[in-house]
Amino acid sequence: MNQLCLLQVVGAVGTGARQESGVSLVRLSAARDGAGTVRLCMDADGGLLPLVAGESLKSADGKPVLAELKCHDGSPGWLVSRSSLLAVNGIRPLWLGRLEPGDLFSYGSRHWLVVIEWTPEAQPAPPHLAERPCPVCGAALGLAPTCQCPCGGPYFHLENPTAPDDPKALNCYLRAPCGSCHLEHTLEPTLVPEPHEKLLGQELAWST
Ligand SMILES: [Zn+2]
Ligand SMILES: [Zn+2]
């Protein structure tokens, strides 16, 4: 399943905003209520707390809702801003706007990168691609279940992800990197777009 997420990232050098502990990933799709809405509050540590249900514009402990998001699996979300301190890519959003993977979502000096958490899944080849050759083995994609590269490019056979090393299984997805984006495929969840190391605080000094 592919989930829309917010990944807490560091601010630009000089703002003093740093990530204190580990990677904080807020899975928006998992926090939707029945209408597909997620309400976001700030938690006590300065992270984002998704409120799962209820029409209230306050959390149980009285914190105001900063934003509401409408999202579906793996697709961009609609953002309803409830705070004048919210920004998307440095610009205060209108009352309703889109939140797309790759956008930087900010509240004051806190920042989150909008990403899709992509988990590989074996699925039948799309009918219009069933006769096309697999880029690794050359056999028709329709011969076995397939998986698309997270870049949205080619499909590869992924016959049996539970036996990744079985030489008899057509697990072409795991056997070669994507010819389009050069990603080395694994069965682990992948963040798309891949967060730049500077956003994760691994190297805080921007070269000039
Ligand atoms: Zn193949
Ligand atoms: Zn790719």
Side-chain angles (χ1 to χ4, degrees), residues 148-154 156 177-183 185:
Q148 189 180 25
C149 180
C151 73
F156 302 80
C178 174
S180 182
C181 72
H182 308 295
L183 181 75
H185 298 139

Side-chain angles (χ1 to χ4, degrees), residues 108-180:
S109 60
R110 304 271 176 174
H111 307 279
W112 294 263
L113 180 68
V114 182
V115 292
I116 299 281
E117 185 183 39
W118 170 284
T119 306
E121 272 183 303
Q123 293 183 322
H128 67 288
L129 297 177
E131 301 297 322
R132 295 270 190 91
C134 167
V136 176
C137 71
L141 285 170
L143 264 185
T146 59
C147 185
Q148 189 180 25
C149 180
C151 73
Y155 282 76
F156 302 80
H157 290 126
L158 181 58
E159 186 177 19
N160 190 355
T162 61
D165 300 322
D166 180 354
K168 291 193 208 111
L170 278 180
N171 283 334
C172 306
Y173 181 79
L174 301 170
R175 304 257 154 81
C178 174
S180 182

Side-chain angles (χ1 to χ4, degrees), residues 1-155:
M1 188 168 99
N2 302 316
Q3 295 208 55
L4 192 68
C5 303
L6 293 173
L7 176 73
Q8 189 159 14
V9 296
V10 298
V13 174
T15 64
R18 295 183 64 150
Q19 199 171 319
E20 281 88 23
S21 59
V23 172
S24 169
L25 191 67
V26 180
R27 292 178 174 87
L28 300 171
S29 313
R32 287 171 300 176
D33 65 12
T37 302
V38 182
R39 295 172 179 82
L40 294 170
C41 289
M42 190 68 86
D43 72 13
D45 300 323
L48 277 181
L49 183 70
L51 304 179
V52 175
E55 293 297 315
S56 169
L57 288 180
K58 289 210 163 131
S59 69
D61 57 357
K63 292 197 174 62
V65 167
L66 307 177
E68 289 176 73
L69 281 155
K70 282 240 178 212
C71 58
H72 301 284
D73 286 343
S75 64
W78 287 102
L79 172 75
V80 180
S81 176
R82 300 276 179 200
S83 166
S84 60
L85 292 178
L86 281 188
V88 177
N89 297 327
I91 297 168
R92 191 175 155 188
L94 297 173
W95 63 275
L96 180 67
R98 292 292 270 176
L99 206 56
E100 309 267 355
D103 283 343
L104 264 179
F105 176 80
S106 308
Y107 177 71
S109 60
R110 304 271 176 174
H111 307 279
W112 294 263
L113 180 68
V114 182
V115 292
I116 299 281
E117 185 183 39
W118 170 284
T119 306
E121 272 183 303
Q123 293 183 322
H128 67 288
L129 297 177
E131 301 297 322
R132 295 270 190 91
C134 167
V136 176
C137 71
L141 285 170
L143 264 185
T146 59
C147 185
Q148 189 180 25
C149 180
C151 73
Y155 282 76

